[in-house]
Amino acid sequence: MLRKIAIAIAAIIALSHSVSAHAESWFEVEVFVFERQQPSVEKWLNATPPKLSKDTVDIITPVISTDITGVSVGLKGCTSTDWTNDASNCNDPNISKSTATHPSQVPFDVAASKPQTAHLGQGPLLLAQSQSKFSDIIRTIQREPYVKSLVHLTWQQNMQSRRRAKPIRIYGGKDFSKSFEYHGLSVKKPSQTETMPSTDLSALGDFYEAPKINPVWELDGSINIYLSHYLYIESNLALRKPTQKMVESSPLAFNEYAALDIEGKKQLAPYLESIPLIQNRRVRSGEIHYFDHPQLGIVMQIRKMAQPTNIKPIDLTERSSASQPLPYTG
C-alpha cells in the first residue's frame, strides 16, 4: 500500500513539473573565497554586517552542523531539501525551535559526501568535492604569500529572474561568538551581567540593532545569481576581524569595558570589524571571474551543465521523520 501511495504522489508531482520543466535553466556554480592578509590603510569600523534575506538558502549548515534537538524531543532539523524548498521557515527563529551545534571552524572544502545529481523542480544542490574543478586554481593562489583560504564549494541551481532568485548563504572561517556579538561588540562577562542587570543598549550606538545571533562567522554573507538575458552575480559578503573602536558610554548604561562613565565619554573597546565586499556584475557562463578587494578575493565560475530530466524520487522515510527546521543563525 505504501508503495502505491508513493507512486501516485510521484505521478502527481511529475505532471505538475512537466508543464514548467522546459523553463528550467540549470547551471553549475563554483566559488572559492580567500583572505588577503596584507596590511591595509583602509578602515571599515562603521560598516555593518551583511543582512540576510529570509529567503536565503543555506546549503552549508546541513553539511557541517549537528542537530541535537532530537536528543531531547526526538525530532530532526531542516534537511538540505527543506532549506532549498522552504528557506523562509528554516531561517525563521520564531518557527524553528530546534537546536544545532556548529564547529568552531568551518571546513575549507564544503561538499556533499558523494556525487549528486540534480532533479527537476529541486532547489540548489551542493555537489561533492570530486565534482569541483578549481583544484589547480586553488593550489596556485594558495602558493601566493599572505593568502588565507576561507571556503570552497560547488553547487547546481536552476537560474531564475532577479525577482524570483534566492541568494545562497556563504560563510566560512572561525566562529567569533565566544568573544563578540554579531554586530561587533565584545561579549559581556557573566559577572558584569549579574552586577548590572538592566542595560540600555541604545547608548552603544546604531551598530547594535538586533538580538544575539550565533555563530559569528569570520566570513559571512550571500551570493545571489540571477538570469535576465545575461547572468548576473550579486555578492554581499563581509570579512570579520577583531580590532578596537571608540565606543560611547552613557550615564544610564553599564559600560562593559570600564566603570560607569557619568560623562558619556568615548572609550577604546574591543570590536569585531566587518569588511564588506558588495558587487553586482554581469557575467558569461564558462568564464572564470575574479572579484578583487583589498582584504578579500573571490574566484567564481558559472558553467553550463546537462539539464536534469527527471524528478527526485520521494523518500518517505525522510518526509516522515523530518519536521522542525534548524534555527536561523545569521
Side-chain angles (χ1 to χ4, degrees):
M1 177 62 71
L2 192 62
R3 178 179 175 80
K4 290 182 179 179
I5 294 174
I7 293 174
I9 295 174
I12 294 172
I13 295 176
L15 287 174
S16 65
H17 284 302
S18 62
V19 177
S20 59
H22 68 280
E24 295 196 4
S25 183
W26 283 75
F27 288 84
E28 191 168 282
V29 182
E30 188 162 1
V31 176
F32 167 46
V33 186
F34 60 92
E35 176 188 354
R36 294 183 175 279
Q37 295 183 311
Q38 292 175 306
S40 174
V41 295
E42 296 187 57
K43 296 294 181 182
W44 294 269
L45 290 175
N46 294 320
T48 59
K51 294 182 179 180
L52 300 178
S53 164
K54 284 189 175 182
D55 288 332
T56 301
V57 176
D58 189 342
I59 58 177
I60 298 178
T61 295
V63 175
I64 70 165
S65 68
T66 302
D67 178 32
I68 61 174
T69 309
V71 174
S72 57
V73 298
L75 298 175
K76 290 187 177 180
C78 265
T79 64
S80 56
T81 302
D82 295 328
W83 271 106
T84 55
N85 294 337
D86 197 8
S88 59
N89 277 347
C90 289
N91 280 325
D92 191 343
N94 295 319
I95 296 175
S96 171
K97 300 297 182 183
S98 62
T99 303
T101 59
H102 298 77
S104 58
Q105 179 90 24
V106 177
F108 165 62
D109 281 303
V110 177
S113 58
K114 59 183 179 180
Q116 301 293 307
T117 302
H119 295 86
L120 291 173
Q122 188 176 13
L125 178 69
L126 182 67
L127 301 184
Q129 190 172 346
S130 61
Q131 294 175 280
S132 64
K133 298 182 179 180
F134 274 6
S135 56
D136 290 341
I137 293 175
I138 292 172
R139 280 195 294 268
T140 299
I141 294 178
Q142 287 178 335
R143 285 197 291 265
E144 295 292 323
Y146 310 110
V147 166
K148 174 186 174 183
S149 299
L150 291 172
V151 70
H152 168 234
L153 67 160
T154 307
W155 71 88
Q156 294 175 346
Q157 69 176 95
N158 175 27
M159 297 301 173
Q160 304 280 354
S161 65
R162 187 176 189 181
R163 183 177 63 85
R164 299 182 60 187
K166 294 183 178 181
I168 302 295
R169 175 84 181 276
I170 304 292
Y171 62 86
K174 66 177 293 185
D175 176 16
F176 285 110
S177 61
K178 290 184 178 180
S179 302
F180 295 96
E181 303 283 358
Y182 185 78
H183 288 263
L185 292 181
S186 179
V187 170
K188 292 181 176 62
K189 297 179 181 179
S191 59
Q192 294 172 334
T193 305
E194 294 170 4
T195 304
M196 297 292 291
S198 58
T199 304
D200 181 11
L201 295 176
S202 62
L204 296 177
D206 294 336
F207 55 86
Y208 192 96
E209 56 187 34
K212 187 174 182 179
I213 301 173
N214 280 329
V216 180
W217 296 116
E218 185 174 359
L219 171 75
D220 204 353
S222 64
I223 291 178
N224 187 30
I225 306 172
Y226 62 91
L227 188 61
S228 179
H229 298 295
Y230 297 93
L231 287 165
Y232 290 84
I233 298 174
E234 290 181 330
S235 58
N236 179 23
L237 298 172
L239 177 68
R240 321 297 300 278
K241 281 189 174 184
T243 183
Q244 290 185 320
K245 179 178 180 177
M246 298 300 294
V247 176
E248 185 174 356
S249 58
S250 165
L252 301 178
F254 178 69
N255 189 337
E256 63 181 295
Y257 312 110
L260 198 66
D261 187 345
I262 60 175
E263 296 181 4
K265 295 180 180 179
K266 288 188 176 182
Q267 298 185 25
L268 198 61
Y271 186 74
L272 189 63
E273 180 183 41
S274 289
I275 303 173
L277 192 162
I278 302 174
Q279 294 186 21
N280 188 345
R281 181 183 298 185
R282 192 181 80 179
V283 299
R284 292 182 178 180
S285 63
E287 295 181 349
I288 296 176
H289 299 275
Y290 174 58
F291 293 77
D292 197 11
H293 186 276
Q295 297 289 300
L296 277 172
I298 305 177
V299 181
M300 283 188 65
Q301 185 180 36
I302 303 175
R303 301 185 284 262
K304 293 181 179 179
M305 55 172 280
Q307 298 299 294
T309 56
N310 300 315
I311 63 170
K312 185 178 181 180
I314 296 175
D315 188 340
L316 294 177
T317 303
E318 178 182 298
R319 284 183 174 272
S320 62
S321 59
S323 55
Q324 300 298 320
L326 288 171
Y328 181 41
T329 57

